[in-house]
Amino acid sequence: MAKALMIQGTSSNAGKSLLVTALCRIYMKRGYKVAPFKSQNMSLNSYTTKENGEMAVAQYLQSLAAKIEPEIDMNPILLKPKGEFISQVIIQGKVVDDMDFYTYQHDFKQEAIRVMHESYERISKKYDIIFIEGAGSPSEINMREEDIANMEVAHMADCNVVLVADIDRGGVFAAIAGTFALLDERDHARLKAVIINKFSGNLDILIPGIEKLEKIIKAPVLGVIPFDKSLKLPEEDSQSLADHKFLEKDNSKKDIIIAVIKLPKIANFTDIDPFEAEEDVGIKMVSVYDMPSELDNVDMIIIPGTRTSTADAKALIDSGLADKIIEKSKQIPVIGICGGYQILGQELVDENMKESHLKHVPGLGLLDIKTEYKNNIKAACQTKLHVPENKDLCGLAKIIFKNLYNEQLTGYEQHEGTSTIINSSINTTNPLFIVEEGVGNNFNTKFDGACGESNVFGTYVHGIFHNYTLRKSLLNYIRANKGLKLDEGTRDPYQDSLDNALEQLAQLIEDNVDMDYIDKLIFGEDYEYTTASK
C-alpha cells in the first residue's frame, strides 16, 4: 500500500490544490510513482478521462504534475452545483442523480463512503505515494458527523495532515489556532504541521507571530510561501476565478482582446487558458451584471460552458448583454463552447426541467440549432474529430478552417442536452466538425457543432482551443485583420507554459518549505533522503 500525506486548509481556496500539485511534481522527479486523491470535490470545472468519466480539473492538473494518466479514482465523488442547494452527483465518473444537501448527506452518505474507500484502495495499490487534498476546512464542527472529505479521509489512509492557511485574506493566526482548537482529540492527533500561503511583505515582521503561534498550537510552521502572481495554472472553480489574472488591467494593453462572458453558472472555463500563453492576447471577463458597453472594444467573444444553460441564457437576455453580443457578431467572431454553443441557437427546450425551472428559453438566434434535454443520458467522453472539406463549411468558419481540412482535433465532452441543426430560411447552418470518436451534437449523427453564414460558430467539445493549429488559425485571422504579425510557429506555447508553470510551482514550494520535515511526515521519523530515485 502507498504512503500518504494529506493537505487540509483553514478555508476554501487556501492553497490545498496547488500544494498537492507541487508535491506531486516534486516527488515524481525524485523517482516515486505519485498520485493525487480527493475523495469529494465540489466544482464546475471538470475533465473527462479515458475511462469516459468526469473528475475535477484540480485532480487532472495534479495528475499532469505527476506525469500519470488521470483516473476517476483520484476524485471518486464530484458535486456540480446547479443552484437552490441542489447539485449533480457524479460517482466514480458517472452521473447518479441531482440531490439536495439533506438527501446527499443523509440518504447517500454510506454509498459515498463506500466508493471513497474503494477508489482509494485501488489507487493506493498502484502508487508509492498518495497526496490527498481536503475540502473546505476540517474545523466545520457543525458538520463533523457528515465529513467525508477531511479528517475521515486521513483516518482511512492512516496518514499525517499538514494544514495550509491563506495569509492574504487576513486573520491567518486566528484561523490556524482556531482550527487546532476546534478539533477533537482523535482528529487533532493527525494534524502535524502548518504552511502559510500567499505571503507578501517583510518576512522578518511575520516571524515573531509564527514563534508565538507554534507555542500555542504545539506544531511547527514548515514554511511561508510567497504570493507569486506570475503563476499561470488552470483554476479549480469560480471562487478562484474571481481573483484570476484575467481581471488585471494590463490585459487591456494587449493587441488582441478576447471577451469571455462570465455566465452565472460558468463551467469549464479552463477552455480559455491556452489564450493566456499567447503574448499578444488579453482576456477580458464580462459578466451579465456588467454594462453591455464592456464589449465595445473587443476582437472576439467567447461564450463558455455553463452548468445551467437555460437559466444562463435567460440571464444573458434579461441583462441586455445578449443584444450587444448579437450586434457585435456582425463585426467580430462569436464562439460558443458546450452550454455557450447551446445558447447561440434558436431555442432551448427542457420539458422535464433538468437544467433549471425553465421549460423553454429562446437562445440568441445566431445559429439555426435547437437544443433539447430529453433523457437522463449525459455525454461524457474524450473526443476525436476533424475539420470537414471547406465546401461543407460556411461563414467565418470557412475562412478560419480553410487550411485545416482533415486536421485531427481532440478534446472532451460533458453535456446532457443534444442539438439539432434545423436550417430555417433565416440562415444556412452547417456542422462544424466530423466526429471520429465521441457524441457531438447528438447520439444519432457523427457531427459536432455548427457554423452559420456569419461570424458565429460553436462546438460541444471542451479543450478545442488546446489544439494549437486551430487556435493559431483563429488568432491569425484576427491578426491579419488588424495588421499584426502572424504566428508562424510550430510549437504550442501553451503546452510549454503549462509545464513551466508546474516546474515554477514545485520550485517555489521546495525553496520555501521544510521538505525534510515533509519527508518524515510521509515516510516516518527515521527516514533519510539519500537519492533521487528509489
Side-chain angles (χ1 to χ4, degrees):
M1 297 289 282
K3 300 287 186 178
L5 179 68
M6 188 168 191
I7 307 299
Q8 296 182 14
T10 54
S11 66
S12 296
N13 207 29
K16 299 183 292 291
S17 294
L18 289 186
L19 189 53
V20 168
T21 303
L23 292 171
C24 283
R25 175 54 61 99
I26 290 167
Y27 284 86
M28 177 278 296
K29 291 176 71 174
R30 291 186 178 187
Y32 295 98
K33 290 175 62 180
V34 180
F37 181 81
K38 184 165 184 172
S39 61
Q40 176 181 285
N41 204 334
M42 179 173 280
S43 176
L44 288 176
N45 250 13
S46 59
Y47 173 81
T48 304
T49 69
K50 282 189 175 180
E51 307 140 300
N52 291 336
E54 290 184 67
M55 68 185 295
V57 75
Q59 281 62 66
Y60 162 68
L61 179 64
Q62 290 158 1
S63 68
L64 291 184
K67 295 192 175 183
I68 56 173
E69 184 67 34
E71 302 176 53
I72 54 174
D73 282 333
M74 297 170 186
N75 174 214
I77 305 168
L78 176 61
L79 306 177
K80 288 190 165 184
K82 298 185 71 172
E84 299 179 357
F85 304 103
I86 293 175
S87 292
Q88 183 180 72
V89 179
I90 298 170
I91 300 296
Q92 292 176 333
K94 303 300 181 185
V95 175
V96 174
D97 204 351
D98 293 343
M99 299 183 195
D100 59 31
F101 177 78
Y102 182 89
T103 301
Y104 176 73
Q105 290 288 357
H106 293 84
D107 298 345
F108 199 75
K109 179 183 175 182
Q110 293 308 312
E111 175 63 10
I113 291 173
R114 183 191 69 78
V115 300
M116 175 182 79
H117 281 259
E118 181 180 82
S119 288
Y120 184 80
E121 184 176 358
R122 273 200 293 257
I123 66 165
S124 66
K125 291 178 178 177
K126 297 163 62 174
Y127 296 94
D128 301 324
I129 308 172
I130 309 295
F131 288 108
I132 306 171
E133 180 186 336
S137 165
S139 61
E140 293 168 353
I141 55 178
N142 57 313
M143 297 173 58
R144 178 61 185 88
E145 291 301 313
E146 287 75 32
D147 171 43
I148 58 170
N150 287 301
M151 284 303 177
E152 281 306 306
V153 184
H155 295 311
M156 174 191 73
D158 191 22
C159 68
N160 292 317
V161 176
V162 174
L163 184 71
V164 61
D166 176 6
I167 194 172
D168 188 57
R169 66 177 60 196
V172 70
F173 295 128
I176 294 168
T179 300
F180 273 77
L182 289 172
L183 298 181
D184 64 26
E185 186 177 348
R186 179 168 175 258
D187 290 348
H188 192 285
R190 294 283 176 192
L191 200 51
K192 302 295 185 180
V194 172
I195 293 173
I196 295 175
N197 189 30
K198 300 183 187 177
F199 178 71
S200 302
N202 187 340
L203 186 58
D204 290 338
I205 297 175
L206 191 66
I207 288 175
I210 291 176
E211 291 173 347
K212 290 179 181 179
L213 176 70
E214 289 179 326
K215 292 178 181 178
I216 293 169
I217 63 175
K218 296 180 175 57
V221 174
L222 300 185
V224 178
I225 304 171
F227 199 167
D228 188 348
K229 294 184 179 180
S230 69
L231 275 171
K232 294 184 178 180
L233 290 167
E235 301 291 357
E236 181 178 4
D237 53 35
S238 56
Q239 179 176 343
S240 53
L241 182 67
D243 299 320
H244 197 280
K245 52 269 176 191
F246 288 156
L247 305 179
E248 291 180 0
K249 292 181 179 179
D250 285 349
N251 277 332
S252 64
K253 300 176 183 178
K254 301 287 188 177
D255 292 326
I256 297 172
I257 303 297
I258 299 175
V260 178
I261 305 302
K262 188 180 178 185
L263 300 166
K265 287 295 181 182
I266 186 173
N268 286 68
F269 42 82
T270 48
D271 285 338
I272 312 302
D273 286 347
F275 291 111
E276 280 206 280
E278 305 286 347
E279 291 186 0
D280 57 351
V281 175
I283 305 296
K284 181 179 185 179
M285 301 297 292
V286 180
S287 165
V288 295
Y289 307 109
D290 290 331
M291 295 295 292
S293 59
E294 290 292 321
L295 295 177
D296 280 345
N297 299 309
V298 302
D299 301 298
M300 182 166 69
I301 296 171
I302 296 174
I303 307 179
T306 164
R307 180 46 261 170
T308 52
S309 300
T310 52
D312 281 5
K314 185 176 187 302
L316 203 58
I317 292 169
D318 290 348
S319 71
L321 205 58
D323 291 335
K324 188 69 174 183
I325 294 171
I326 294 168
E327 175 191 326
K328 295 294 289 185
S329 71
K330 299 171 185 176
Q331 308 158 17
I332 62 174
V334 175
I335 304 170
I337 307 295
C338 197
Y341 164 51
Q342 296 172 343
I343 290 171
L344 288 174
Q346 298 293 338
E347 57 181 340
L348 297 85
V349 180
D350 186 14
E351 294 292 345
N352 295 323
M353 295 185 289
K354 287 180 59 61
E355 287 278 294
S356 69
H357 65 284
L358 302 169
K359 288 188 176 184
H360 183 281
V361 179
L364 272 58
L366 293 173
L367 291 173
D368 275 346
I369 64 169
K370 176 181 179 180
T371 297
E372 298 178 273
Y373 307 87
K374 289 183 175 179
N375 52 46
N376 293 320
I377 300 175
K378 182 176 185 178
C381 55
Q382 292 196 348
T383 308
K384 292 181 181 178
L385 58 167
H386 66 264
V387 177
E389 292 187 63
N390 199 246
K391 67 180 179 63
D392 294 325
L393 296 171
C394 53
L396 181 61
K398 195 177 186 74
I399 300 171
I400 289 175
F401 300 135
K402 64 182 179 181
N403 296 320
L404 298 182
Y405 169 56
N406 258 349
E407 180 88 16
Q408 188 179 76
L409 307 170
T410 60
Y412 60 96
E413 298 175 58
Q414 295 172 4
H415 58 96
E416 290 173 274
T418 57
S419 298
T420 305
I421 294 176
I422 54 180
N423 259 335
S424 72
S425 59
I426 301 172
N427 258 323
T428 297
T429 299
N430 290 346
L432 186 62
F433 300 122
I434 298 172
V435 177
E436 299 170 16
E437 296 178 17
V439 175
N441 285 334
N442 56 64
F443 291 88
N444 300 318
T445 69
K446 281 295 181 180
F447 298 110
D448 169 71
C451 54
E453 294 177 336
S454 62
N455 295 312
V456 182
F457 57 87
T459 173
Y460 268 117
V461 179
H462 294 291
I464 197 69
F465 299 128
H466 289 65
N467 293 276
Y468 175 48
T469 53
L470 182 148
R471 188 174 78 250
K472 179 171 68 172
S473 183
L474 173 62
L475 291 175
N476 275 347
Y477 166 80
I478 298 174
R479 290 177 180 122
N481 282 348
K482 300 190 73 174
L484 301 171
K485 181 182 178 181
L486 302 185
D487 178 3
E488 305 290 353
T490 58
R491 188 176 177 91
D492 185 356
Y494 174 68
Q495 291 302 321
D496 289 342
S497 70
L498 179 58
D499 198 65
N500 289 341
L502 290 170
E503 288 291 327
Q504 179 184 347
L505 174 64
Q507 193 63 53
L508 184 70
I509 300 305
E510 283 200 287
D511 289 346
N512 293 282
V513 173
D514 184 346
M515 295 305 299
D516 289 337
Y517 205 101
I518 295 289
D519 286 340
K520 291 177 180 179
L521 290 177
I522 297 170
F523 300 109
E525 289 294 330
D526 57 348
Y527 173 79
E528 290 186 12
Y529 176 68
T530 56
T531 178
S533 62
K534 292 185 69 180

PDB file of all heavy atoms in Angstrom, residues 248-272:
ATOM      1  N   GLU A 248      -6.757  41.477 -14.570  1.00  0.00           N
ATOM      2  CA  GLU A 248      -5.727  42.501 -14.481  1.00  0.00           C
ATOM      3  C   GLU A 248      -5.873  43.522 -15.613  1.00  0.00           C
ATOM      4  O   GLU A 248      -6.108  43.172 -16.756  1.00  0.00           O
ATOM      5  CB  GLU A 248      -4.338  41.855 -14.529  1.00  0.00           C
ATOM      6  CG  GLU A 248      -4.026  41.035 -13.278  1.00  0.00           C
ATOM      7  CD  GLU A 248      -2.655  40.398 -13.338  1.00  0.00           C
ATOM      8  OE1 GLU A 248      -1.949  40.602 -14.345  1.00  0.00           O
ATOM      9  OE2 GLU A 248      -2.297  39.687 -12.391  1.00  0.00           O
ATOM     10  N   LYS A 249      -5.701  44.791 -15.280  1.00  0.00           N
ATOM     11  CA  LYS A 249      -5.904  45.848 -16.263  1.00  0.00           C
ATOM     12  C   LYS A 249      -4.861  45.820 -17.369  1.00  0.00           C
ATOM     13  O   LYS A 249      -5.085  46.334 -18.455  1.00  0.00           O
ATOM     14  CB  LYS A 249      -5.901  47.205 -15.554  1.00  0.00           C
ATOM     15  CG  LYS A 249      -7.100  47.413 -14.635  1.00  0.00           C
ATOM     16  CD  LYS A 249      -7.071  48.766 -13.971  1.00  0.00           C
ATOM     17  CE  LYS A 249      -8.290  48.940 -13.075  1.00  0.00           C
ATOM     18  NZ  LYS A 249      -8.293  50.250 -12.371  1.00  0.00           N
ATOM     19  N   ASP A 250      -3.689  45.220 -17.123  1.00  0.00           N
ATOM     20  CA  ASP A 250      -2.646  45.163 -18.135  1.00  0.00           C
ATOM     21  C   ASP A 250      -3.114  44.446 -19.394  1.00  0.00           C
ATOM     22  O   ASP A 250      -2.575  44.661 -20.476  1.00  0.00           O
ATOM     23  CB  ASP A 250      -1.405  44.454 -17.576  1.00  0.00           C
ATOM     24  CG  ASP A 250      -0.635  45.344 -16.609  1.00  0.00           C
ATOM     25  OD1 ASP A 250      -0.955  46.533 -16.553  1.00  0.00           O
ATOM     26  OD2 ASP A 250       0.261  44.832 -15.926  1.00  0.00           O
ATOM     27  N   ASN A 251      -4.115  43.571 -19.264  1.00  0.00           N
ATOM     28  CA  ASN A 251      -4.624  42.863 -20.424  1.00  0.00           C
ATOM     29  C   ASN A 251      -5.183  43.818 -21.470  1.00  0.00           C
ATOM     30  O   ASN A 251      -5.216  43.511 -22.658  1.00  0.00           O
ATOM     31  CB  ASN A 251      -5.711  41.866 -20.000  1.00  0.00           C
ATOM     32  CG  ASN A 251      -5.118  40.564 -19.506  1.00  0.00           C
ATOM     33  OD1 ASN A 251      -4.028  40.175 -19.916  1.00  0.00           O
ATOM     34  ND2 ASN A 251      -5.815  39.883 -18.625  1.00  0.00           N
ATOM     35  N   SER A 252      -5.627  44.997 -21.044  1.00  0.00           N
ATOM     36  CA  SER A 252      -6.204  45.954 -21.991  1.00  0.00           C
ATOM     37  C   SER A 252      -5.150  46.524 -22.928  1.00  0.00           C
ATOM     38  O   SER A 252      -5.485  47.129 -23.952  1.00  0.00           O
ATOM     39  CB  SER A 252      -6.885  47.089 -21.227  1.00  0.00           C
ATOM     40  OG  SER A 252      -5.929  47.823 -20.473  1.00  0.00           O
ATOM     41  N   LYS A 253      -3.873  46.328 -22.583  1.00  0.00           N
ATOM     42  CA  LYS A 253      -2.794  46.841 -23.423  1.00  0.00           C
ATOM     43  C   LYS A 253      -2.380  45.839 -24.502  1.00  0.00           C
ATOM     44  O   LYS A 253      -1.503  46.145 -25.321  1.00  0.00           O
ATOM     45  CB  LYS A 253      -1.592  47.184 -22.549  1.00  0.00           C
ATOM     46  CG  LYS A 253      -1.888  48.250 -21.491  1.00  0.00           C
ATOM     47  CD  LYS A 253      -0.689  48.483 -20.592  1.00  0.00           C
ATOM     48  CE  LYS A 253      -1.014  49.503 -19.500  1.00  0.00           C
ATOM     49  NZ  LYS A 253       0.125  49.703 -18.579  1.00  0.00           N
ATOM     50  N   LYS A 254      -2.969  44.671 -24.505  1.00  0.00           N
ATOM     51  CA  LYS A 254      -2.632  43.656 -25.495  1.00  0.00           C
ATOM     52  C   LYS A 254      -3.185  44.043 -26.866  1.00  0.00           C
ATOM     53  O   LYS A 254      -4.154  44.799 -26.980  1.00  0.00           O
ATOM     54  CB  LYS A 254      -3.195  42.298 -25.070  1.00  0.00           C
ATOM     55  CG  LYS A 254      -2.687  41.793 -23.732  1.00  0.00           C
ATOM     56  CD  LYS A 254      -1.249  41.330 -23.799  1.00  0.00           C
ATOM     57  CE  LYS A 254      -0.826  40.656 -22.502  1.00  0.00           C
ATOM     58  NZ  LYS A 254       0.545  40.127 -22.563  1.00  0.00           N
ATOM     59  N   ASP A 255      -2.583  43.479 -27.913  1.00  0.00           N
ATOM     60  CA  ASP A 255      -3.025  43.781 -29.281  1.00  0.00           C
ATOM     61  C   ASP A 255      -4.398  43.192 -29.584  1.00  0.00           C
ATOM     62  O   ASP A 255      -5.172  43.758 -30.357  1.00  0.00           O
ATOM     63  CB  ASP A 255      -2.009  43.227 -30.287  1.00  0.00           C
ATOM     64  CG  ASP A 255      -0.676  43.972 -30.234  1.00  0.00           C
ATOM     65  OD1 ASP A 255      -0.710  45.197 -29.981  1.00  0.00           O
ATOM     66  OD2 ASP A 255       0.364  43.336 -30.426  1.00  0.00           O
ATOM     67  N   ILE A 256      -4.684  42.037 -28.999  1.00  0.00           N
ATOM     68  CA  ILE A 256      -5.965  41.351 -29.225  1.00  0.00           C
ATOM     69  C   ILE A 256      -6.656  41.176 -27.885  1.00  0.00           C
ATOM     70  O   ILE A 256      -6.061  40.656 -26.939  1.00  0.00           O
ATOM     71  CB  ILE A 256      -5.749  39.975 -29.892  1.00  0.00           C
ATOM     72  CG1 ILE A 256      -5.113  40.149 -31.279  1.00  0.00           C
ATOM     73  CG2 ILE A 256      -7.061  39.207 -29.999  1.00  0.00           C
ATOM     74  CD1 ILE A 256      -4.699  38.830 -31.919  1.00  0.00           C
ATOM     75  N   ILE A 257      -7.907  41.592 -27.798  1.00  0.00           N
ATOM     76  CA  ILE A 257      -8.678  41.428 -26.572  1.00  0.00           C
ATOM     77  C   ILE A 257      -9.832  40.463 -26.841  1.00  0.00           C
ATOM     78  O   ILE A 257     -10.653  40.688 -27.735  1.00  0.00           O
ATOM     79  CB  ILE A 257      -9.247  42.773 -26.067  1.00  0.00           C
ATOM     80  CG1 ILE A 257      -8.113  43.782 -25.844  1.00  0.00           C
ATOM     81  CG2 ILE A 257     -10.045  42.564 -24.782  1.00  0.00           C
ATOM     82  CD1 ILE A 257      -7.113  43.389 -24.792  1.00  0.00           C
ATOM     83  N   ILE A 258      -9.857  39.389 -26.074  1.00  0.00           N
ATOM     84  CA  ILE A 258     -10.944  38.403 -26.175  1.00  0.00           C
ATOM     85  C   ILE A 258     -11.857  38.576 -24.976  1.00  0.00           C
ATOM     86  O   ILE A 258     -11.415  38.503 -23.826  1.00  0.00           O
ATOM     87  CB  ILE A 258     -10.393  36.965 -26.204  1.00  0.00           C
ATOM     88  CG1 ILE A 258      -9.491  36.763 -27.431  1.00  0.00           C
ATOM     89  CG2 ILE A 258     -11.542  35.951 -26.219  1.00  0.00           C
ATOM     90  CD1 ILE A 258      -8.818  35.407 -27.477  1.00  0.00           C
ATOM     91  N   ALA A 259     -13.126  38.808 -25.239  1.00  0.00           N
ATOM     92  CA  ALA A 259     -14.117  38.906 -24.165  1.00  0.00           C
ATOM     93  C   ALA A 259     -14.683  37.522 -23.887  1.00  0.00           C
ATOM     94  O   ALA A 259     -15.141  36.830 -24.804  1.00  0.00           O
ATOM     95  CB  ALA A 259     -15.240  39.856 -24.556  1.00  0.00           C
ATOM     96  N   VAL A 260     -14.646  37.120 -22.634  1.00  0.00           N
ATOM     97  CA  VAL A 260     -15.236  35.854 -22.204  1.00  0.00           C
ATOM     98  C   VAL A 260     -16.438  36.192 -21.328  1.00  0.00           C
ATOM     99  O   VAL A 260     -16.308  36.913 -20.337  1.00  0.00           O
ATOM    100  CB  VAL A 260     -14.231  34.998 -21.416  1.00  0.00           C
ATOM    101  CG1 VAL A 260     -14.887  33.704 -20.942  1.00  0.00           C
ATOM    102  CG2 VAL A 260     -13.006  34.693 -22.274  1.00  0.00           C
ATOM    103  N   ILE A 261     -17.600  35.690 -21.713  1.00  0.00           N
ATOM    104  CA  ILE A 261     -18.820  36.000 -20.972  1.00  0.00           C
ATOM    105  C   ILE A 261     -18.847  35.172 -19.693  1.00  0.00           C
ATOM    106  O   ILE A 261     -18.879  33.938 -19.738  1.00  0.00           O
ATOM    107  CB  ILE A 261     -20.078  35.722 -21.815  1.00  0.00           C
ATOM    108  CG1 ILE A 261     -19.989  36.483 -23.154  1.00  0.00           C
ATOM    109  CG2 ILE A 261     -21.327  36.137 -21.044  1.00  0.00           C
ATOM    110  CD1 ILE A 261     -19.833  37.971 -23.031  1.00  0.00           C
ATOM    111  N   LYS A 262     -18.820  35.865 -18.560  1.00  0.00           N
ATOM    112  CA  LYS A 262     -18.845  35.183 -17.272  1.00  0.00           C
ATOM    113  C   LYS A 262     -20.300  34.929 -16.882  1.00  0.00           C
ATOM    114  O   LYS A 262     -20.943  35.724 -16.201  1.00  0.00           O
ATOM    115  CB  LYS A 262     -18.137  36.007 -16.198  1.00  0.00           C
ATOM    116  CG  LYS A 262     -17.955  35.257 -14.889  1.00  0.00           C
ATOM    117  CD  LYS A 262     -17.250  36.123 -13.858  1.00  0.00           C
ATOM    118  CE  LYS A 262     -17.116  35.372 -12.536  1.00  0.00           C
ATOM    119  NZ  LYS A 262     -16.538  36.233 -11.476  1.00  0.00           N
ATOM    120  N   LEU A 263     -20.822  33.795 -17.330  1.00  0.00           N
ATOM    121  CA  LEU A 263     -22.198  33.415 -17.035  1.00  0.00           C
ATOM    122  C   LEU A 263     -22.355  33.126 -15.541  1.00  0.00           C
ATOM    123  O   LEU A 263     -21.385  32.753 -14.875  1.00  0.00           O
ATOM    124  CB  LEU A 263     -22.583  32.181 -17.864  1.00  0.00           C
ATOM    125  CG  LEU A 263     -22.508  32.365 -19.384  1.00  0.00           C
ATOM    126  CD1 LEU A 263     -22.566  31.008 -20.080  1.00  0.00           C
ATOM    127  CD2 LEU A 263     -23.623  33.263 -19.884  1.00  0.00           C
ATOM    128  N   PRO A 264     -23.565  33.259 -15.004  1.00  0.00           N
ATOM    129  CA  PRO A 264     -23.762  33.000 -13.566  1.00  0.00           C
ATOM    130  C   PRO A 264     -23.294  31.613 -13.126  1.00  0.00           C
ATOM    131  O   PRO A 264     -22.783  31.452 -12.027  1.00  0.00           O
ATOM    132  CB  PRO A 264     -25.274  33.167 -13.388  1.00  0.00           C
ATOM    133  CG  PRO A 264     -25.656  34.154 -14.446  1.00  0.00           C
ATOM    134  CD  PRO A 264     -24.781  33.824 -15.622  1.00  0.00           C
ATOM    135  N   LYS A 265     -23.469  30.601 -13.984  1.00  0.00           N
ATOM    136  CA  LYS A 265     -23.034  29.239 -13.653  1.00  0.00           C
ATOM    137  C   LYS A 265     -21.933  28.785 -14.607  1.00  0.00           C
ATOM    138  O   LYS A 265     -21.926  27.651 -15.081  1.00  0.00           O
ATOM    139  CB  LYS A 265     -24.228  28.272 -13.712  1.00  0.00           C
ATOM    140  CG  LYS A 265     -25.213  28.429 -12.563  1.00  0.00           C
ATOM    141  CD  LYS A 265     -24.577  28.071 -11.231  1.00  0.00           C
ATOM    142  CE  LYS A 265     -25.580  28.202 -10.084  1.00  0.00           C
ATOM    143  NZ  LYS A 265     -24.954  27.901  -8.779  1.00  0.00           N
ATOM    144  N   ILE A 266     -20.990  29.689 -14.870  1.00  0.00           N
ATOM    145  CA  ILE A 266     -19.892  29.379 -15.780  1.00  0.00           C
ATOM    146  C   ILE A 266     -19.177  28.098 -15.350  1.00  0.00           C
ATOM    147  O   ILE A 266     -18.957  27.850 -14.162  1.00  0.00           O
ATOM    148  CB  ILE A 266     -18.909  30.562 -15.852  1.00  0.00           C
ATOM    149  CG1 ILE A 266     -17.831  30.320 -16.906  1.00  0.00           C
ATOM    150  CG2 ILE A 266     -18.320  30.865 -14.491  1.00  0.00           C
ATOM    151  CD1 ILE A 266     -16.939  31.537 -17.142  1.00  0.00           C
ATOM    152  N   ALA A 267     -18.834  27.266 -16.325  1.00  0.00           N
ATOM    153  CA  ALA A 267     -18.189  25.985 -16.041  1.00  0.00           C
ATOM    154  C   ALA A 267     -17.110  25.718 -17.084  1.00  0.00           C
ATOM    155  O   ALA A 267     -17.169  26.219 -18.212  1.00  0.00           O
ATOM    156  CB  ALA A 267     -19.215  24.850 -16.039  1.00  0.00           C
ATOM    157  N   ASN A 268     -16.131  24.922 -16.700  1.00  0.00           N
ATOM    158  CA  ASN A 268     -15.050  24.506 -17.607  1.00  0.00           C
ATOM    159  C   ASN A 268     -14.398  25.697 -18.304  1.00  0.00           C
ATOM    160  O   ASN A 268     -14.088  25.665 -19.495  1.00  0.00           O
ATOM    161  CB  ASN A 268     -15.567  23.491 -18.637  1.00  0.00           C
ATOM    162  CG  ASN A 268     -15.790  22.130 -18.024  1.00  0.00           C
ATOM    163  OD1 ASN A 268     -16.682  21.962 -17.203  1.00  0.00           O
ATOM    164  ND2 ASN A 268     -14.990  21.158 -18.386  1.00  0.00           N
ATOM    165  N   PHE A 269     -14.176  26.765 -17.521  1.00  0.00           N
ATOM    166  CA  PHE A 269     -13.556  27.939 -18.100  1.00  0.00           C
ATOM    167  C   PHE A 269     -12.064  27.749 -18.332  1.00  0.00           C
ATOM    168  O   PHE A 269     -11.392  28.661 -18.835  1.00  0.00           O
ATOM    169  CB  PHE A 269     -13.813  29.187 -17.238  1.00  0.00           C
ATOM    170  CG  PHE A 269     -13.689  28.963 -15.761  1.00  0.00           C
ATOM    171  CD1 PHE A 269     -12.464  28.964 -15.141  1.00  0.00           C
ATOM    172  CD2 PHE A 269     -14.819  28.737 -15.000  1.00  0.00           C
ATOM    173  CE1 PHE A 269     -12.354  28.752 -13.781  1.00  0.00           C
ATOM    174  CE2 PHE A 269     -14.721  28.519 -13.626  1.00  0.00           C
ATOM    175  CZ  PHE A 269     -13.477  28.533 -13.009  1.00  0.00           C
ATOM    176  N   THR A 270     -11.526  26.566 -18.009  1.00  0.00           N
ATOM    177  CA  THR A 270     -10.153  26.247 -18.389  1.00  0.00           C
ATOM    178  C   THR A 270     -10.013  26.163 -19.908  1.00  0.00           C
ATOM    179  O   THR A 270      -8.892  26.140 -20.427  1.00  0.00           O
ATOM    180  CB  THR A 270      -9.704  24.919 -17.754  1.00  0.00           C
ATOM    181  OG1 THR A 270     -10.721  23.936 -17.963  1.00  0.00           O
ATOM    182  CG2 THR A 270      -9.485  25.083 -16.266  1.00  0.00           C
ATOM    183  N   ASP A 271     -11.151  26.113 -20.625  1.00  0.00           N
ATOM    184  CA  ASP A 271     -11.099  26.157 -22.086  1.00  0.00           C
ATOM    185  C   ASP A 271     -10.382  27.406 -22.586  1.00  0.00           C
ATOM    186  O   ASP A 271      -9.847  27.420 -23.699  1.00  0.00           O
ATOM    187  CB  ASP A 271     -12.526  26.155 -22.671  1.00  0.00           C
ATOM    188  CG  ASP A 271     -13.194  24.794 -22.589  1.00  0.00           C
ATOM    189  OD1 ASP A 271     -12.486  23.778 -22.489  1.00  0.00           O
ATOM    190  OD2 ASP A 271     -14.440  24.743 -22.622  1.00  0.00           O
ATOM    191  N   ILE A 272     -10.375  28.453 -21.779  1.00  0.00           N
ATOM    192  CA  ILE A 272      -9.814  29.735 -22.199  1.00  0.00           C
ATOM    193  C   ILE A 272      -8.312  29.814 -21.919  1.00  0.00           C
ATOM    194  O   ILE A 272      -7.604  30.650 -22.484  1.00  0.00           O
ATOM    195  CB  ILE A 272     -10.538  30.893 -21.472  1.00  0.00           C
ATOM    196  CG1 ILE A 272     -12.051  30.720 -21.547  1.00  0.00           C
ATOM    197  CG2 ILE A 272     -10.142  32.243 -22.039  1.00  0.00           C
ATOM    198  CD1 ILE A 272     -12.592  30.642 -22.946  1.00  0.00           C
TER     199      ILE A 272
END
